[in-house]
Amino acid sequence: MKDFSYITSASPAFIESLYQDFVKDPGSVDPEFRRFFEGFDFAVDKIGTNGHSVPAATALPADIDIKKEIAAYRLILGYRNKGHLLAKTNPIRSRKDRGANLDLEFFGFTEADLDRSFYAGNRIGIGTAKLRDILKHLQDTYANHVGIEFKYISNQKKVDFLTNAMEKEFQQPLKVDQQRRILEKLNQGVIFEKFLHTKYIGQKRFSLEGGETTIAALDTIINTAGSMDVQEVVIGMAHRGRLNVLANVMGKTYEHIFSEFEGTQVMDQTMGSGDVKYHMGYSSDVTTHDGKTVHLKLCPNPSHLEAVDPVVVGFARAKADVLYASDYDKILPILIHGDASVAGQGIVYEVLQMSNLEGYYTGGTMHFVINNQIGFTTDFEDARSSDYCTSLAATVQAPVFHVNGDDAEAVVKCVELATRYRQEFNSDIFIDMVCYRKHGHNEGDDPKFTQPKLYGLIEKHANPREVYTSYLLENGEADARQMAQDMEKKFWADLQERLDEIKQNPLPYKYQLPEIAWRSLRRATEEDFDQSPETGINEADFQKLFNSIMAWPDDFKPLKKVEKILQDKVKLFQEEGKLDWATAELMAYASLLLDGNDVRMSGQDVRRGTFSHRHAVLRDEVTDAAYNRLSRIDGAAGKFRIYNSLLSEYGVLGFEYGYAMANPNGLVLWEAQFGDFCNGAQTMIDQFIAAGEQKWNRMNGVVMLLPHGYEGQGPEHSSARLERFLQLCAEMNMVVTNITTSVNFFHALRRQLAWPFRKPMINFSPKANLRLPDTYSDKKEFISGRFREVIDDPTNPDAAHVKKVLFCSGKVYFDLAARQQKENVQDVAIIRMEQLYPLPQKQLDALYNKYQKATWFWVQEEPLNMGAAAYLKMNLTTINFGVISRQPSASTATGYAKVHAQEQAEIIDTAFGI
């Protein structure tokens, strides 16, 4: 939306010439100016009945001061663009002057023009009107209790939708039934906080006091969405107000919530230690005003603010794919942010950047900001450089409604409009509800230490329920006033009921298909890890799958180089009966599709593979068209979805965790470009992947593929930090593997869905060894067999004559085996640990007994303070062994190729010479 100040300073003749150009060819003038002339023509009844601009005259009417009309249009554009800078959105204190420049003088008007009529009034739906009426309408629309930011939106349909809604619909009064519902939800929100404050004085609850209008807002979103055929709403939020949302939006009973406060709930500690009450998730079914059932899901979250965001959108995407045939209108993700975190946490930006990408699209997320104007103790001036906490919305052209949290009707109108916008355009949208936090960060914290003036104002301020009740009593119609009086009585009666602990009935709940699938699984036991389940496939399926992934459509022309790669794989199989790493991987996915399971994979460059090995999606060398090699498997009911991700670890891994959380019957994988970069997602690893099952009783089978191995590529391309994952391992929380053969990788992937439970799998995958012939596997090993946690020395040395056992994991095995073969060493056995956690204790004990005369050494490429050495020393107590490794180091690896080669040689020399 342009300003056009240059037009108002131009001569009338220039404007006349512009108009004549418009008459001859509307497309020849600036689009925004064309819209002005079209609107102007409409106002003076010179528009064709077919809705297209057909001016009847080639000159402007003589009695029109076109420069003043244009100035009035500029005033309208000014308020649309910058009215939000003047809006009275702060319920506590006056706003900072942000230089809106919306004074009449700025547009060339004086007081004398206020009673002058302008056709421009037609542009905002009030007809030809006096300037003072146009100004009042603009102020009421864009600079009262709501300010809307949308000037950066380039899609004209979105702009028209918002301007029409704001200028022609927003001021319409609500019906008494709508007002009653708002007051009812405000009552519920305030009752909940008063109850807690009375019964549990001083306990942490992260109250919603000051922001109770959130309850009315969420209620409106759910009801509006339900009326537009949304069947499911997935909510992610932090701890502020979470208990109130659980009670008054999700329908969790007071009895259930407060048994957690009092510690009287039945504790299920068979698989974990639990989490605090304001982190737990919940699901329910609610019935909307018009009788629709909407399934609600509140995702569990850690205290790490905004960390749940990618999990929510990943979960929503999975549900859309699995339950609603990827119809995103059926499911609505809502993220509830705090003002400090939405501005300060980079994960919000990562999630926003996903919003329009094919692999991560959810049909638009609604972002609701509970803007307390403060962080823990940090003022907003210290918390951001931008005007607003929501300023990053502009990066994806998402509109923002800034609204005063004390004006419950304005909040409800904003979220109703925002929900319609999301359903209409399937795009993200923000509601920035400016309110306040009644107490400190928690109820035991005194905010006056840091904000004495602000909290002096807050102490005297009425809560949103009191504000709205007063508004209805003073300004409402007779029936609204009576309703407010009745609801006031009901408020005190309901509060007393809660204090008297009158029993509530929980909402009915019907499990969805993915939840039924989750409930059919069980918890893992230690015995489950003694030996893996059988995961081979029959010979007919093997041949069918192999042929399918090695072919492409007749009209598809792959790149010659890629065609040669695939021909070499076919030749390898035909001549030697073997499959390389990449083929085995795709065969695993293909076999799961044939079993009826979906497979989803994402990460940086995963379609080709960082190391140009996977080639899951081919490109036509002429048309650039894409071909998914797993898309034409005869009889496969599952779908293979693979996406190159944005350059993000934290957000994308979080998304895939959320996707895997929704459906146990799909294999979900995230691959790092190099394993070294996974620490950019450390929050997801620590708070969700490693601990989610223990904290929230939620299993998850997400797979992380982390390229790892010391090849002289330097400290950022060598180590996926195996030691960190092993340090996180306990209580059978995840599986950590470092696999050396293509068939074992095949079985490990299939095992993820063969188990009657789900565990995250962290695989430290090869890089250079992806093409190493020693990693290739025979066809017969795919047709029968299972994942092998430990692989004994394939040279079958005589155990009685073995003096030394070198046990290891991953790439270093091949260096050791090469020396063993080269020097024909007969008295050394080399054992591979393909799985490091859960520790294959019984299998290792059996080998220790087999080679009981030998001295054992753990050999690793990593420095002594890294890798698996410390973990094994702590956990593998039944075996007496030494450690051979690089020297302890602050950095994972040297940056010098010569030094690397020397260190690697020393490890191998020591292993055979010690």
Side-chain angles (χ1 to χ4, degrees), residues 244-256:
N244 206 318
V245 168
L246 280 167
N248 295 312
V249 176
M250 307 293 295
K252 192 172 186 180
T253 64
Y254 276 41
E255 180 182 22
H256 193 168

Side-chain angles (χ1 to χ4, degrees), residues 6 174 209 231 306 314 540 578 691 862 903:
Y6 70 95
L174 296 180
E209 287 177 87
Q231 295 180 25
E306 309 294 347
K578 290 185 175 182
E862 299 87 355
E903 291 175 344

